[in-house]
Amino acid sequence: MKSTVNSTSVIQPVNSIPSRSQFIIELLMALILTRIPYVNVPFNWLESYFHELSHALATMFTGGMVSHIQLFSDGAGLCFSQGGWPILIGFAGYFGAALWGALLFNLAIWQRGIRFSYAFMGAWVFITLLLWGRDILTIVILTVLGLLFLLPIKLNHNPILSIALRIIALMVMLNAMASPAVLLGITGRGDAIMLAQQTWLPTWFWVFVWVATSGVMLWLCWRRVDRAKDKFG
């Protein structure tokens, strides 16, 4: 007698969206990692990279030319350019870093495309190196950041890749939130000071906008998690 076994195929979700509690745990992990000396160094470089890359893209978008990008071991950075719209270029640094963090988070919950996401970000870093990396330290830092994205592709476990990229994304947004606050009370050079000179709006206004932007990006990531769990249970 031939027996048949009815089987039901299970369709895995396209998105790898964490639970609410998992999101909070990952956010706490990201917060802790950003405070651990030496461990936080490459992630400070990453926020600095996105900051200077945003300056560069804003320069090109407004008709200017980028000479090169310089990154420093302490997490600082500079974008050397000519032309473009100074207000948008100056504003784009911290604002753009927060947006890049949100983009990373959304790439991280694209389960079927997680390896592409890592490859895409790694390619961005190495394209930046080829276009605007000039000094040895910047080349070394960009190489480390590129490998930070490309080496995990060899892992076979997509959930681990998703979790790691989500934590990196949260760290970028947290750093983008904390970094502008350092500008308060600083005299001399700085994006907030330049914008204050260009617009007559005080430095604290621009710092507030940048911090609020990072907060909004974090909130939008939370809402993405919250809505998904309300929808799917």
Side-chain angles (χ1 to χ4, degrees):
M1 178 178 179
K2 181 180 179 181
S3 60
T4 60
V5 178
N6 293 326
S7 61
T8 303
S9 62
V10 178
I11 301 176
Q12 297 294 331
V14 174
N15 289 337
S16 179
I17 302 179
S19 64
R20 298 182 183 95
S21 60
Q22 187 176 356
F23 178 87
I24 294 173
I25 292 172
E26 290 173 0
L27 182 61
L28 291 174
M29 290 178 63
L31 182 61
I32 292 171
L33 288 172
T34 59
R35 297 295 180 266
I36 299 178
Y38 302 109
V39 173
N40 64 356
V41 169
F43 304 105
N44 291 338
W45 291 347
L46 193 60
E47 190 273 334
S48 180
Y49 163 70
F50 286 131
H51 179 105
E52 303 308 330
L53 176 63
S54 298
H55 280 318
L57 294 176
T59 300
M60 297 177 65
F61 180 75
T62 56
M65 295 187 302
V66 179
S67 170
H68 62 283
I69 287 175
Q70 190 172 9
L71 301 177
F72 301 95
S73 58
D74 62 356
L78 294 170
C79 178
F80 295 85
S81 62
Q82 292 182 334
W85 186 23
I87 295 176
L88 181 60
I89 295 169
F91 180 72
Y94 293 110
F95 181 80
L99 294 185
W100 278 103
L103 173 63
L104 283 176
F105 187 87
N106 282 279
L107 288 174
I109 60 178
W110 180 26
Q111 185 176 11
R112 293 181 183 175
I114 188 63
R115 294 179 188 278
F116 170 81
S117 299
Y118 275 90
F120 172 76
M121 295 310 304
W124 256 112
V125 175
F126 281 110
I127 289 173
T128 305
L129 188 156
L130 292 174
L131 291 176
W132 300 313
R134 296 293 183 269
D135 63 286
I136 296 298
L137 180 58
T138 300
I139 291 173
V140 169
I141 290 174
L142 289 176
T143 300
V144 170
L145 296 180
L147 294 176
L148 180 69
F149 286 115
L150 295 181
L151 288 180
I153 296 177
K154 294 182 175 293
L155 296 175
N156 294 322
H157 301 288
N158 281 7
I160 295 177
L161 292 175
S162 297
I163 292 171
L165 191 57
R166 288 200 303 266
I167 292 175
I168 290 174
L170 292 171
M171 292 175 71
V172 170
M173 285 183 279
L174 288 173
N175 281 330
M177 178 181 290
S179 296
V182 179
L183 301 178
L184 291 175
I186 294 179
T187 58
R189 298 177 61 183
D191 293 341
I193 294 172
M194 185 275 287
L195 288 170
Q197 294 171 345
Q198 290 282 334
T199 64
W200 300 99
L201 292 171
T203 57
W204 63 261
F205 170 82
W206 298 105
V207 171
F208 173 80
V209 171
W210 287 324
V211 172
T213 298
S214 298
V216 169
M217 293 302 105
L218 284 169
W219 179 78
L220 289 175
C221 292
W222 164 255
R223 286 297 298 152
R224 183 74 184 272
V225 170
D226 196 43
R227 285 197 300 267
K229 295 311 169 185
D230 285 340
K231 182 177 180 179
F232 298 109

